[in-house]
Amino acid sequence: MKLELKNIRKTFGEKEVLHGISFSVESGKALGLLGRNGAGKTTTIRIIMDVFKANSGTITLDGRPFIPREHQIGYLPEERGLYPKKKVGEQLIYLAMLRGMDQKSAKANAKKWLERLEVDEYFDRKLETLSKGNQQKVQLAQTLICDPDLVILDEPFSGLDPVNSQILKDVIQEVIQQGKMVIFSSHQMGYVEEFCEDIVIIHHGEVVLGGQLSEIKKEKSNGRMRISCIGLTPTELANRLSKELPGLVSVEKVQRNQVVVCIRKGAGTNEVLKSLLDLGLELELFGRYEPSLNDIFVESAGDEG
């Protein structure tokens, strides 16, 4: 399946907050929906779910108009919405039945997901008695209980320790491998890089960058190289490169364990490599530099305007 948004616009009062948003997500893939606070991510999600109506534009599923009520959507909002004074199992069953499941199936699925997320012992406990991390896992159980075709996760790792984060990561990978469409929104770029083949960056209500993450990284590398040497700290190496090879490379930045350089116009990778060896440097690393998703995000959405 393929869910596609085309030229979605949304206005509140006289202010247009989405200026023609377009992207798509396919079965068995996760799309990273990224943006700074206030960029328009939540509004976009709410339009997909038919909480808000777009002023214009279309949302289609496999080329046909997408009608959310005809499909199961699992949504984990950033602002959690379960009932703290109700028992975990009781409210999971209730919410599943609201989404069309019979009571028997709802109870079975609630127990299945609580067990998978290692919180089944809390089935008859009030939600407020659980730790923040375990409450988050119950929220995820609620998201997946109806076997949704589309899963929308907004900051799913908030408040989780490393062990619980790994459980959650495993579950999300399983959901992707089961062929679900996943929209993953987070400010934790490491998780986005781990799960998402494709990304969309929204800034001031517009898509400023989108596509396959691996291809975006290649494009953004801009001929930059990573270099490290045995016996020299990155700072020492950067000083030598600036002093001894100014016609071939310019030092862009010094990182914890490497130097990132730009190869000057007219120079080639082999020429730079030969020159490094001629200097008697014992290379530990010499390869193409790819920016992190965090670097790409800051470049695309880092302005304050």
Side-chain angles (χ1 to χ4, degrees), residues 228-273:
S228 66
C229 290
I230 296 172
L232 290 178
T233 67
T235 299
E236 291 170 339
L237 175 60
N239 290 335
R240 287 200 61 179
L241 293 174
S242 297
K243 181 179 179 180
E244 300 181 51
L245 299 179
L248 294 180
V249 299
S250 61
V251 174
E252 181 173 292
K253 55 185 174 181
V254 177
Q255 298 183 323
R256 183 174 58 88
N257 59 355
Q258 64 188 10
V259 178
V260 178
V261 302
C262 290
I263 297 179
R264 294 195 183 279
K265 188 175 182 180
T269 303
N270 290 339
E271 183 181 2
V272 173
L273 176 59

Side-chain angles (χ1 to χ4, degrees), residues 41 53 62 68 89 99 103 113 124 143 168 198 200 206 216 234 236 240 276 298:
K41 304 185 302 299
K53 297 288 187 183
D62 293 337
R99 291 157 67 183
Q103 186 173 11
W113 278 111
D124 289 316
T143 302
L168 192 58
D198 304 309
V200 169
E206 299 181 7
I216 291 172
E236 291 170 339
R240 287 200 61 179
L276 291 170
V298 171

